[in-house]
Amino acid sequence: MHDLVQDLVVPAGVPDAAATVLNTARELLRQSYFCYEFSTVAVLHSLIAVEMVLRSKVPNAGKAPLQRLIKQAADSGLLTADQADLLDTGREIRNKMAHGEMTHTAMPPAMAIPMVRTSFTIVTALCGPSSG
């Protein structure tokens, strides 16, 4: 698992709280070798980090729900349409799990790693040197 997550590095410029959450997501993926269920928790943590960053980047975000943050970020050009679609899918999975509509089952690494990688990629795009 180490080799599968070694490139998941939090870039400079990411707020400390979001960086901590992303690092936790990466380590949960690494530990999912021993406890398979950690892969699902890693995905959920990575989405929390994206939401934190969006909340800091979207003007007047306040306590807006993630769905609205995603739409505002896409409308303002902070997110591409593809990124918004991926995040909205992740948001739906998160909500179904949080509200008991979907069981908290383990995601296989083949599914979880790309989802966490997408969160890292989006956070990097939002906080990287060219993001302003």
Side-chain angles (χ1 to χ4, degrees):
M1 290 302 289
H2 175 74
D3 291 344
L4 295 174
V5 300
Q6 69 182 354
D7 65 326
L8 297 178
V9 177
V10 178
V14 174
D16 289 342
T20 297
V21 175
L22 280 177
N23 283 324
T24 299
R26 182 192 58 238
E27 293 310 310
L28 284 164
L29 273 180
R30 190 185 324 269
Q31 294 301 315
S32 70
Y33 177 82
F34 301 105
C35 182
Y36 212 54
E37 291 78 9
F38 284 176
S39 61
T40 303
V41 181
V43 170
L44 297 176
H45 264 66
S46 72
L47 288 168
I48 290 168
V50 173
E51 183 172 0
M52 293 169 83
V53 170
L54 282 175
R55 204 163 292 290
S56 73
K57 297 287 184 177
V58 172
N60 303 314
K63 294 184 179 193
L66 181 55
Q67 184 175 22
R68 190 174 316 145
L69 290 177
I70 293 168
K71 181 175 179 357
Q72 286 179 267
D75 289 348
S76 69
L78 285 172
L79 294 174
T80 67
D82 286 342
Q83 289 171 329
D85 286 343
L86 289 168
L87 284 177
D88 201 50
T89 299
R91 178 195 61 79
E92 289 174 0
I93 291 169
R94 180 200 69 174
N95 287 353
K96 286 179 181 179
M97 293 180 90
H99 297 290
E101 297 170 26
M102 177 186 272
T103 60
H104 189 82
T105 58
M107 289 183 188
M111 184 177 178
I113 292 170
M115 292 175 82
V116 173
R117 186 176 313 285
T118 296
S119 293
F120 268 80
T121 300
I122 290 171
V123 167
T124 298
L126 289 170
C127 296
S130 62
S131 69

